[in-house]
Amino acid sequence: MTTIAFLGLGHMGGPMAANLVKAGHRVIGFDMMPAALEAAAAAGIEVVASGQDAVRSVGSGGVVFTMFPSGRHVIDAYRGTETEPGLLAVAAPGTLFVDSSTIAVDEARAAHALAEAAGHRSLDAPVSGGVVGAENATLAFMVGGGDADFAEALPLLETMGRRIVHCGGAGLGQAAKICNNMILGISQIAVAEAFVLGERLGLTHQALFDVASNASGQSWALTTNCPVPGPVPTSPANRDYQPGFAGTLMSKDLGLAEQAIDLTGVDAKLGLMAHEIYKEFAAGAGAGQDFSGIINTVRAQSTPAPDQLSSSMVREGAA
Ligand code: NAD
């Protein structure tokens, strides 16, 4: 049994911490939201009054997990403020900090550096698999940090996830996460554009699916997250685009990819364009939708309608 402080008990952190309790670990938790604390207490997590109290309670040999909305939250919590000590300052020497939030690669590296300077050890361990994966302990973890620290965290990660990949040193878990999600964002837009083009050309959704899903156009965005209802009955398109993976989260992850693109100077035109497209989607119609709902934006912004197109072609042909 390991004693664990788990901070950030929201949509993801709450069920992840509950799975650690189910596996027999002692989990001391904190979140700023009373509703999150209530749910955590019901799941057997020992709720305390602050993050610092949780970290103090684990003592030496414990592990501290964070699952926060952004990198700012992680750095601020590690560092503390003028009036409040940070988590690093109150932890027993050599404590292992595992941050599972999705944050920028340079923020993750800064968090590692802060932990090391304070005499602690750390891993970046972002996840994919969403709330369902957090609840069912089927998350994928992408981990950055040292070999010994990874080995120590592995049994805990295995109680919350199914696929755990050690991607390399500090920040490389976050790097793997944003590279994967950049592929995903671009390919979901590509699949949406192909379906709308197919519609305009008179192709049924099923016919395009039957061809592309068995040909070189095959991708997760098509065969699992198919953006039209019918061909894949479990995809969000069949339930009015309820997430799934929300467009707002895709926009956030593509923003982190853009930060990394700026940092490295890579000529990633499609990644940058995908960010623009999802930023607009998340700010408008797609706010509460799965990111596959981008197909409705493609459809709405497409002109002219097919009958106008065919009549103009007839006119041009006649001229
Ligand atoms: P959430 O907003 O539901 O949960 C985050 C929680 O952190 C909130 O309850 C907030 O009160 C708490 N928090 C913030 N600062 C804190 C502090 N200093 N101390 C204690 N608690 C604090 O968000 P979520 O959906 O659980 O996502 C968490 C992270 O996981 C994000 O970085 C997100 O990008 C990533 N992620 C989410 C999903 C998903 O499907 N929701 C999937 C993969 C990755």
Side-chain angles (χ1 to χ4, degrees):
M1 185 195 77
T2 305
T3 303
I4 297 156
F6 207 116
L7 312 178
L9 301 164
H11 291 100
M12 298 293 288
M16 288 166 71
N19 282 326
L20 289 167
V21 172
K22 276 188 214 151
H25 300 292
R26 180 178 175 216
V27 182
I28 304 160
F30 176 69
D31 194 292
M32 268 106 74
M33 307 292 286
L37 289 179
E38 234 171 80
I45 294 154
E46 293 173 42
V47 164
V48 293
S50 71
Q52 291 87 341
D53 283 355
V55 172
R56 280 190 200 101
S57 306
V58 300
S60 62
V63 177
V64 178
F65 276 90
T66 43
M67 192 50 164
F68 294 159
S70 74
R72 194 69 267 146
H73 291 87
V74 178
I75 305 262
D76 287 352
Y78 274 20
R79 206 185 251 155
T81 62
E82 276 174 20
T83 53
E84 238 188 8
L87 302 177
L88 299 174
V90 299
T95 295
L96 178 60
F97 282 79
V98 183
D99 178 42
S100 281
S101 327
T102 302
I103 70 176
V105 176
D106 52 344
E107 289 170 326
R109 290 188 171 142
H112 275 275
L114 285 171
E116 196 181 343
H120 302 302
R121 299 166 300 129
S122 64
L123 296 170
D124 52 294
V127 301
S128 67
V131 175
V132 173
E135 286 170 351
N136 297 338
T138 55
L139 292 170
F141 280 89
M142 294 141 275
V143 188
D147 291 344
D149 298 334
F150 175 74
E152 188 176 326
L154 186 59
L156 300 178
L157 303 181
E158 283 172 338
T159 67
M160 297 182 281
R162 189 182 277 165
R163 202 158 40 85
I164 325 290
V165 181
H166 188 196
C167 301
L172 292 180
Q174 299 291 352
K177 162 101 188 172
I178 59 161
C179 288
N180 178 73
N181 280 14
M182 190 174 84
I183 298 172
L184 179 60
I186 293 169
S187 57
Q188 195 70 64
I189 295 166
V191 170
E193 290 181 354
F195 269 103
V196 176
L197 183 59
E199 287 167 5
R200 290 276 169 116
L201 296 171
L203 199 54
T204 66
H205 291 158
Q206 192 63 50
L208 177 56
F209 180 84
D210 289 346
V211 171
S213 63
N214 289 296
S216 43
Q218 191 274 339
S219 67
W220 186 93
L222 174 69
T223 56
T224 301
N225 220 38
C226 187
V228 293
V232 180
T234 49
S235 79
N238 297 278
R239 45 172 205 272
D240 208 16
Y241 299 95
Q242 282 166 36
F245 186 57
T248 43
L249 287 174
M250 177 51 84
S251 173
K252 172 193 166 181
D253 289 1
L254 288 169
L256 298 177
E258 179 162 346
Q259 258 177 270
I261 290 166
D262 288 346
L263 208 66
T264 55
V266 171
D267 181 27
K269 295 186 184 71
L270 293 184
L272 297 177
M273 202 175 284
H275 183 215
E276 284 311 307
I277 290 170
Y278 273 113
K279 209 161 49 175
E280 199 184 316
F281 178 71
Q289 287 184 7
D290 184 78
F291 76 117
S292 59
I294 196 68
I295 191 168
N296 295 318
T297 307
V298 175
R299 222 181 255 121
Q301 292 182 356
S302 294
T303 55
D307 53 336
Q308 291 167 323
L309 183 71
S310 52
S311 55
S312 76
M313 281 164 75
V314 168
R315 272 199 308 278
E316 274 167 30

